[in-house]
Amino acid sequence: MKMEFTKNKGMSLAVMLIILAAYNAIAFILPFERHNGFWVGYGFTMLAILLTTCVVILAFGREGLKSKFFGMPLVLVVWAYLIVQFLVGFIEMLIPNIPSHYGIVINVIVLASCLIGLIGTNIAKEEIERVEEKNKEKVFYIKSLQADVEGLITKVSDNATKKIVKDLVDTIRYSDPMSSPQLAAIENKIETKVFALTESIADVNAVESLCDELQKLFADRNRQCKILK
């Protein structure tokens, strides 16, 4: 996948560089004792800043508003981790005699919690995107039929017949948009009738008859949709 340097990525990187610079200034200007606890807290906090930078850039660097919206939970998780790690890291840097192995264990627990949260959130995000994509495929059937029948309106010169076709368009528009394998039989019949309607659009009697049949088929389809829910 090609990674492009976008404005959002640039702004995210700038914010994280400011945080990185401010943190290092505080860590090395203030008179902390450079004991083992200091380096444990400092090291894990630097890791947290790096991880946050990567997640934020990946989340906000995606194309499309919806993709950015779905990336927000990941950003919230990693920012919560960064705040907690800042607090833990500064406490470890302030306490001179804290055993380093205890500090490592605490930091590892905090990091592991963040990683588990990121993995869980990403799984949920991908599942939502998968369901949305699946729903798009399901509603394509109705949208496609609606577009096909709407295109026939301009081909009808008789006003009464044109109204019948418009009524059919309204029926399609307000029909249940969700398709499913259980509806395949009736949807195949509808497609056949729509094709026949397209071929017979110049025949007023045929148009009226086919529109009436399609109205009944859509009514049956809507009833089946309700049963399947």
Side-chain angles (χ1 to χ4, degrees), residues 185-204:
I186 192 167
E187 288 181 348
N188 287 336
K189 290 181 182 179
I190 290 173
E191 287 180 3
T192 301
K193 294 296 181 181
V194 170
F195 178 77
L197 179 63
T198 303
E199 295 295 310
S200 308
I201 196 63
D203 185 340
V204 173

Side-chain angles (χ1 to χ4, degrees), residues 142 145-147 149-150 153 162-176 211 215 218 222:
I142 287 293
L145 285 179
Q146 182 182 331
V149 178
E150 279 181 340
I153 295 175
K162 184 174 290 189
K163 184 180 184 305
I164 292 173
V165 178
K166 286 182 178 179
D167 289 341
L168 178 59
V169 171
D170 289 337
T171 297
I172 298 173
R173 180 182 293 115
Y174 297 113
S175 292
D176 194 311
C211 285
Q215 290 281 9
F218 273 104
N222 288 335

Side-chain angles (χ1 to χ4, degrees), residues 206-225:
V207 169
E208 291 179 359
S209 176
L210 287 166
C211 285
D212 183 61
E213 291 180 43
L214 282 165
Q215 290 281 9
K216 292 175 182 178
L217 286 170
F218 273 104
D220 288 340
R221 180 184 177 276
N222 288 335
R223 282 193 291 270
Q224 291 184 35
C225 286

Side-chain angles (χ1 to χ4, degrees), residues 51-172:
L51 177 61
T52 302
T53 303
C54 293
V55 172
V56 170
I57 289 176
L58 288 174
F60 288 150
R62 301 182 181 191
E63 294 182 0
L65 181 61
K66 187 172 289 186
S67 294
K68 292 181 176 63
F69 176 76
F70 284 151
M72 279 301 299
L74 293 171
V75 174
L76 293 176
V77 170
V78 79
W79 271 105
Y81 162 62
L82 181 60
I83 292 170
V84 172
Q85 181 57 53
F86 268 129
L87 295 174
V88 172
F90 275 121
I91 290 172
E92 291 171 339
M93 292 161 71
L94 284 168
I95 301 176
N97 297 320
I98 185 171
S100 58
H101 54 277
Y102 289 130
I104 292 172
V105 169
I106 293 171
N107 284 281
V108 167
I109 291 173
V110 174
L111 175 59
S113 300
C114 171
L115 294 177
I116 292 171
L118 288 174
I119 292 170
T121 303
N122 193 59
I123 291 172
K125 177 186 70 67
E126 289 180 352
E127 179 62 18
I128 292 172
E129 290 177 338
R130 185 190 68 81
V131 171
E132 274 217 341
E133 191 62 33
K134 189 175 180 181
N135 287 343
K136 283 182 183 178
E137 294 174 2
K138 287 183 177 181
V139 302
F140 176 77
Y141 171 81
I142 287 293
K143 296 295 183 183
S144 177
L145 285 179
Q146 182 182 331
D148 290 343
V149 178
E150 279 181 340
L152 299 177
I153 295 175
T154 57
K155 299 179 181 180
V156 180
S157 56
D158 180 70
N159 289 332
T161 307
K162 184 174 290 189
K163 184 180 184 305
I164 292 173
V165 178
K166 286 182 178 179
D167 289 341
L168 178 59
V169 171
D170 289 337
T171 297
I172 298 173

